[in-house]
């Protein structure tokens, strides 16, 4: 994925879930934070950050926080990008499990809890495959990445829905989109959200497929390039 032009600055503070304050070449600006998680390890004041500028001149916040340098590694924090990154990886053949599907639909309503699936793959004679994409930015204990970095009732709901999909004869897949290059495996964050961790293990036992794809991140491009193991 080619990115729009990014501008480097220094993080002053993450004021709240939606706004970051950044020193941008001597100008203090407020930037939209497109990540509502805790952003563990990715919000230290003084960190190098990169912002994009909105094309719409009337937008309330002209800047959007795109990435941060954490522990010397560039991390993509924009949670609006993983769905497109996974779609690109599929088109590039990095999800061979889905290669037979000719039809891809986005943001489709499904399930008894009226959820919205990120990507739905369909094809004649094939069971529909419901794909939920999760963004991973947090790292812990060396090369272990974890998800989530905050309690996610929505994520637990999606796991329940996906278990029902499999029980009904369909396919379901969780894809962890890892937007940092220093992670070697993904694990559920048991201490942060034990409900999600338990739900992920139940989903695996029920036949939900789980995949992790790691990105190469630069200020000009983000591309999912390799598979990582998921240890649940």
């Amino acid at each position: 994925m080619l990115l729009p032009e990014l501008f480097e600055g220094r993080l002053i503070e993450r004021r709240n879930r939606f706004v970051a304050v950044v020193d941008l070449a001597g100008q203090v600006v407020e930037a939209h934070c497109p990540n509502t998680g805790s952003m563990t390890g990715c919000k230290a004041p003084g960190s190098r950050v990169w912002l994009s500028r909105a094309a719409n001149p009337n937008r309330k916040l002209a800047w959007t926080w795109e990435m941060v340098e954490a522990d010397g590694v560039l991390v993509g924090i924009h949670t609006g990008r993983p769905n497109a990154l996974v779609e690109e990886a599929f088109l590039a053949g990095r999800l061979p499990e889905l290669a037979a599907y000719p039809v891809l639909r986005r943001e489709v309503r499904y399930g008894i809890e009226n959820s919205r699936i990120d990507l739905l793959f369909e094809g004649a004679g094939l069971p529909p495959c419901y794909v939920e994409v999760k963004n991973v930015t947090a790292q812990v204990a060396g090369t272990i990445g974890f998800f989530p970095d905050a309690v996610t009732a929505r994520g637990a709901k999606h796991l329940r829905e996906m278990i029902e999909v499999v029980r009904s004869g369909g396919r379901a897949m969780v894809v962890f989109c890892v937007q940092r290059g220093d992670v070697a495996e993904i694990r559920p964050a048991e201490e942060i959200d034990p409900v999600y961790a338990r739900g992920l293990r139940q989903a695996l036992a029920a036949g939900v497929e789980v995949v992790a794809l790691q990105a190469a991140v630069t200020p000009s491009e983000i591309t999912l390039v390799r598979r990582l193991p998921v240890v649940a």
Side-chain angles (χ1 to χ4, degrees):
M1 172 189 291
L2 294 176
L3 298 173
E5 182 181 8
L6 300 188
F7 300 82
E8 183 180 337
R10 292 280 178 174
L11 181 66
I12 297 174
E13 65 171 341
R14 186 193 188 194
R15 177 171 294 163
N16 55 45
R17 292 169 62 200
F18 304 105
V19 177
V21 183
V22 176
D23 181 340
L24 200 62
Q27 177 188 8
V28 176
V29 302
E30 291 185 340
H32 171 59
C33 180
N35 187 318
T36 58
S38 71
M39 294 183 60
T40 302
C42 295
K43 58 182 180 183
S47 298
R48 296 169 70 200
V49 296
W50 285 261
L51 310 180
S52 60
R53 190 176 184 94
N56 179 1
N58 297 318
R59 204 180 84 165
K60 181 177 180 181
L61 294 177
W63 300 95
T64 298
W65 187 3
E66 296 279 351
M67 61 183 62
V68 60
E69 184 180 63
D71 299 320
V73 176
L74 291 186
V75 182
I77 62 97
H78 196 318
T79 58
R81 302 214 179 273
N83 287 8
L85 287 169
V86 170
E87 184 175 342
E88 281 188 0
F90 162 71
L91 294 173
R94 297 191 179 99
L95 279 170
E97 300 93 334
L98 301 174
Y101 288 89
V103 177
L104 167 61
R105 293 197 287 149
R106 305 166 189 84
E107 299 289 333
V108 178
R109 291 282 183 187
Y110 80 111
I112 58 175
E113 298 188 52
N114 195 31
S115 296
R116 190 188 298 272
I117 198 68
D118 291 322
L119 303 171
L120 175 60
F121 292 83
E122 297 172 303
L126 298 171
C129 187
Y130 294 77
V131 177
E132 181 70 23
V133 180
K134 299 299 184 185
N135 190 52
V136 179
T137 60
Q139 176 209 32
V140 66
T143 59
I144 298 171
F146 66 86
F147 181 90
D149 67 353
V151 174
T152 172
R154 181 172 176 268
K157 182 182 80 165
H158 289 157
L159 291 175
R160 293 193 299 269
E161 294 279 32
M162 299 178 91
I163 289 171
E164 290 305 315
V165 164
V166 173
R167 287 175 177 167
S168 299
R171 290 178 65 189
M173 179 183 293
V174 178
V175 179
F176 291 110
C177 176
V178 186
Q179 289 199 70
R180 57 186 301 157
D182 58 347
V183 169
E185 67 180 53
I186 298 300
R187 296 187 186 186
E190 188 90 42
E191 294 185 0
I192 293 174
D193 192 344
V195 173
Y196 184 86
R198 182 168 62 251
L200 184 64
R201 289 191 289 270
Q202 291 170 344
L204 280 164
V208 175
E209 302 162 60
V210 180
V211 173
L213 294 173
Q214 184 177 48
V217 181
T218 74
S220 60
E221 185 174 6
I222 303 175
T223 306
L224 295 176
V225 293
R226 65 181 64 84
R227 303 285 284 257
L228 296 178
V230 178
V231 180

